[in-house]
């Protein structure tokens, strides 16, 4: 769903650069977006709950169990499936412009996504349960399976780290009140966003998109202290939850033998990145030691868009 409904007589047009969402959403656009996002989140919750209806499920099973049927009906059966769905939702949320009254909408749904993600990831298994753990297995077969499992787990963790890095970058942009640039996957200032819109043009030589109403004092507001406190809590709790989840999965994979968690991640070449989860956001928030005055000064006051050089289109 596109929050920008801009079209021309010849159909939808794209500017020469990536579309940056700077203009505030209309009331109709906000209503449609809220309805759509709420439904997407609801569907994600349903599919997450159905992901593993039975603890005895295993891909080798050919007969149908009630729980197995529920698992197969889910579109989010694996962690990579779940992360891909969250990527799509994240991309949509970041299209919401950081312009009042839409600013709070972007923060609300990004907080919702963050909370859902960090509470749902530990619900997935990195290892697959075996149908009969007492069944004898040849040593060569066991080694081959262990190597395959290790590579699959590394690939899944790599995917997870990439997603968490995207989420970290997204929060930094939102905290700084920036417009999201989907091409660079980074935030850019409102000045840059407005300049991009001014310089972009449609084939008929006219600027792309509806005109900006210069009689309205467009502003962007920083996140509230309540939002910031909730975000900090979500990230700190989420980090602890991920560490516990990885430890449990390591034990399940190795039966309590072999590397400790740090050694396992280091062997996979992922240790430094797990140590730096949400580093940008926590660095932004953590330098204030709970001092609300300093944090509010860093976040800044409401910024009128007129001061950013808005140009009538």
């Amino acid at each position: 769903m596109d929050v920008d409904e801009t079209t021309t007589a010849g159909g939808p047009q794209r500017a020469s650069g990536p579309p940056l969402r700077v203009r505030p959403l209309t009331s109709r656009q906000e209503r449609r977006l809220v309805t759509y996002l709420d439904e997407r989140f609801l569907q994600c919750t349903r599919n997450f709950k159905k992901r593993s209806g039975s603890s005895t499920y295993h891909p080798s099973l050919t007969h149908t169990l009630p729980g197995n049927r529920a698992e197969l009906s889910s579109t989010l059966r694996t962690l990579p499936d779940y992360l891909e769905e969250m990527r799509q939702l994240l991309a949509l949320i970041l299209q919401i412009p950081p312009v009042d009254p839409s600013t709070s909408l972007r923060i609300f749904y990004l907080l919702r996504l963050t909370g859902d993600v960090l509470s749902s990831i530990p619900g997935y298994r990195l290892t697959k349960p075996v149908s009969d753990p007492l069944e004898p297995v040849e040593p060569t077969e066991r080694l081959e399976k262990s190597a395959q499992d290790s590579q699959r787990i590394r690939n899944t963790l790599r995917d997870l780290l990439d997603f968490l890095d995207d989420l970290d970058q997204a929060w930094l942009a939102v905290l700084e009140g920036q417009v999201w640039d989907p091409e660079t996957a980074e935030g850019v200032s409102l000045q840059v966003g407005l300049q991009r819109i001014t310089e972009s043009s449609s084939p008929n030589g006219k600027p792309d998109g509806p005109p900006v109403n210069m009689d309205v004092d467009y502003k962007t507001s920083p996140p509230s202290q309540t939002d910031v406190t909730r975000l900090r809590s979500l990230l700190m709790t989420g980090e602890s939850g991920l560490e516990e989840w990885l430890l449990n999965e390591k034990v399940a994979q190795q039966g309590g033998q072999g590397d400790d968690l740090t050694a396992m991640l280091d062997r996979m070449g992922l240790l430094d990145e797990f140590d730096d989860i949400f580093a940008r956001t926590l660095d932004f928030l953590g330098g204030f030691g709970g001092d609300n005055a300093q944090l509010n000064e860093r976040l800044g006051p409401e910024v009128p868009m007129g001061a950013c050089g808005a140009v009538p289109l």
Side-chain angles (χ1 to χ4, degrees), residues 200-215:
S200 64
S201 60
S202 58
N204 61 11
K206 296 180 180 180
D208 189 30
V212 174
N213 186 351
M214 293 301 293
D215 295 329

Side-chain angles (χ1 to χ4, degrees), residues 207-240:
D208 189 30
V212 174
N213 186 351
M214 293 301 293
D215 295 329
V216 178
D217 187 19
Y218 296 118
K219 293 181 293 185
T220 180
S221 300
S224 68
Q225 184 58 44
T226 300
D227 291 333
V228 170
T229 300
R230 184 185 173 197
L231 173 60
R232 184 187 283 114
S233 176
L234 283 173
L235 298 186
M236 300 300 291
T237 303
E239 279 195 358
S240 298

